[in-house]
Amino acid sequence: MEQELRTGGGGNLRAAQNSSNDVTLAQQAMWVLNNIASSQGDPSQRLTSWLLRALVARACRLCGPTGTIQAAAGAPAPRERAMSVTELAEYIDLTQWHRFCFTASNSTILRAVAGSAVHIIDLSSWIRHVTPGFRDTFLDIVRTLNPCLVTVTGEDADLDSPSLATRIAGCFDFHWILFDALDTSAPRDSPWRVEHEAAVGRKIESVVRDDDADGAERVESGARLAEQMRRNGFASVGLDEDAAAEVRRLLSEHATGWGVKREEDMLVLTWKGHDASVENRRHAGRHVPNTTHQNSHRV
């Protein structure tokens, strides 16, 4: 299924992108995906159906709605609503993203400041939410605080590329994880499952429909964010084996299919071998002489 998406629809998508005024090629790409997609199929088929919806939204924006395009859109998606506390707990149990990020970050911070008074500033995911054009300024502001340690966690996906084909491939590679994980925990007609998949579908539409993020958050790869932090004077510290072992123990107790691996100086959460989230640890002191990795350095 994934190969069909890449070689069938993907090839036409790249051609349509290179000839942006050729509506016929765009329609061909959508119909290739339409033959693959199924809202009630396996994870790849269901995800492809949301990618198709996103392409329909893009086509309507660029060309205006037509009967052919609207026919491919299917039924309206469920409306978005806030999760209850119980639903949030179930979501945390399902994905393990939150446990991984909090455990890795907290373990790293505790070891770095052991025996010392500490003031922790929680910027949550501000580094991810700030658009790339303003991120350098934001990182400069963080450095003026002269922190002894900065931990960064986030989704590991390439969704901010100027290339439409790259963004579509990034959506498929990353969001497939949740669709596949849902297959192990909820029946396909579960309202809870339908709502989660619809929420992902809305994210996909925002990435595929518009080439310009226009201030909206778009996830980028952990490697690219790490490189930007290096350029802004944040030297890599690396996470020690104790932190990695604690995360592995947590995952072994709570989840099947989830794992953790090292990638350069980052810890990466995986689902059946697919990268999901990254944890990165950096030193931002003004005495750091350069922006290269310093694996042996410990705060």
Side-chain angles (χ1 to χ4, degrees):
M1 174 62 62
E2 182 176 355
Q3 186 64 24
E4 288 177 335
L5 178 66
R6 292 184 181 281
T7 60
N12 282 334
L13 287 169
R14 280 185 286 274
Q17 181 185 353
N18 292 332
S19 303
S20 57
N21 293 325
D22 194 331
V23 178
T24 301
L25 282 176
Q27 289 178 332
Q28 288 175 352
M30 286 190 292
W31 280 113
V32 168
L33 295 181
N34 190 52
N35 291 331
I36 300 171
S38 170
S39 61
Q40 300 299 318
D42 63 29
S44 295
Q45 290 173 316
R46 299 198 311 277
L47 179 54
T48 301
S49 72
W50 286 106
L51 286 168
L52 178 61
R53 282 176 178 268
L55 282 169
V56 168
R58 179 182 177 87
C60 289
R61 181 182 67 82
L62 295 175
C63 309
T66 68
T68 301
I69 291 176
Q70 288 178 320
R79 290 184 177 181
E80 188 173 10
R81 66 175 181 84
M83 284 189 284
S84 68
V85 174
T86 301
E87 289 170 333
L88 178 60
E90 291 175 346
Y91 182 75
I92 290 173
D93 283 337
L94 169 69
T95 62
Q96 300 302 312
W97 294 335
H98 300 80
R99 283 198 179 103
F100 166 78
C101 293
F102 282 120
T103 300
S105 293
N106 291 343
S107 175
T108 298
I109 292 170
L110 284 173
R111 287 176 173 81
V113 301
S116 304
V118 60
H119 184 187
I120 297 175
I121 300 177
D122 182 6
L123 299 174
S124 297
S125 53
W126 270 87
I127 290 179
R128 290 285 191 175
H129 287 182
V130 175
T131 55
F134 294 98
R135 192 174 293 154
D136 286 337
T137 301
F138 176 77
L139 290 173
D140 285 341
I141 293 172
V142 172
R143 288 202 69 206
T144 62
L145 300 174
N146 199 26
C148 70
L149 184 72
V150 176
T151 61
V152 180
T153 62
E155 299 167 331
D156 190 17
D158 187 6
L159 305 184
D160 69 336
S161 170
S163 163
L164 173 62
T166 299
R167 296 201 306 274
I168 289 175
C171 282
F172 188 92
D173 290 341
F174 179 73
H175 291 303
W176 175 87
I177 294 171
L178 178 61
F179 278 68
D180 193 60
L182 283 167
D183 246 19
T184 68
S185 61
R188 294 184 182 179
D189 59 352
S190 163
W192 178 77
R193 174 180 181 154
V194 170
E195 287 184 358
H196 278 304
E197 293 188 354
V200 173
R202 285 186 286 270
K203 291 181 180 180
I204 291 173
E205 182 174 329
S206 71
V207 170
V208 173
R209 182 187 58 215
D210 302 312
D211 293 322
D212 184 359
D214 194 26
E217 175 194 7
R218 281 192 177 169
V219 176
E220 62 183 355
S221 68
R224 189 184 302 175
L225 178 58
E227 175 59 31
Q228 185 170 21
M229 294 191 73
R230 276 194 293 268
R231 292 197 308 268
N232 283 272
F234 291 82
S236 177
V237 178
L239 289 97
D240 58 31
E241 187 53 38
D242 288 340
E246 189 167 345
V247 172
R248 291 190 184 98
R249 179 190 57 77
L250 180 76
L251 293 176
S252 68
E253 292 177 356
H254 290 278
T256 301
W258 295 95
V260 63
K261 69 178 182 180
R262 285 191 177 275
E263 193 169 285
E264 295 184 352
D265 296 316
M266 298 180 289
L267 284 183
V268 182
L269 177 69
T270 64
W271 168 256
K272 297 181 179 179
H274 294 258
D275 294 359
S277 298
V278 295
E279 162 69 21
N280 199 1
R281 172 185 175 188
R282 294 190 172 268
H283 188 284
R286 293 185 179 278
H287 63 276
V288 175
N290 56 52
T291 61
T292 59
H293 284 282
Q294 298 181 8
N295 296 334
S296 61
H297 183 72
R298 290 290 181 271
V299 178

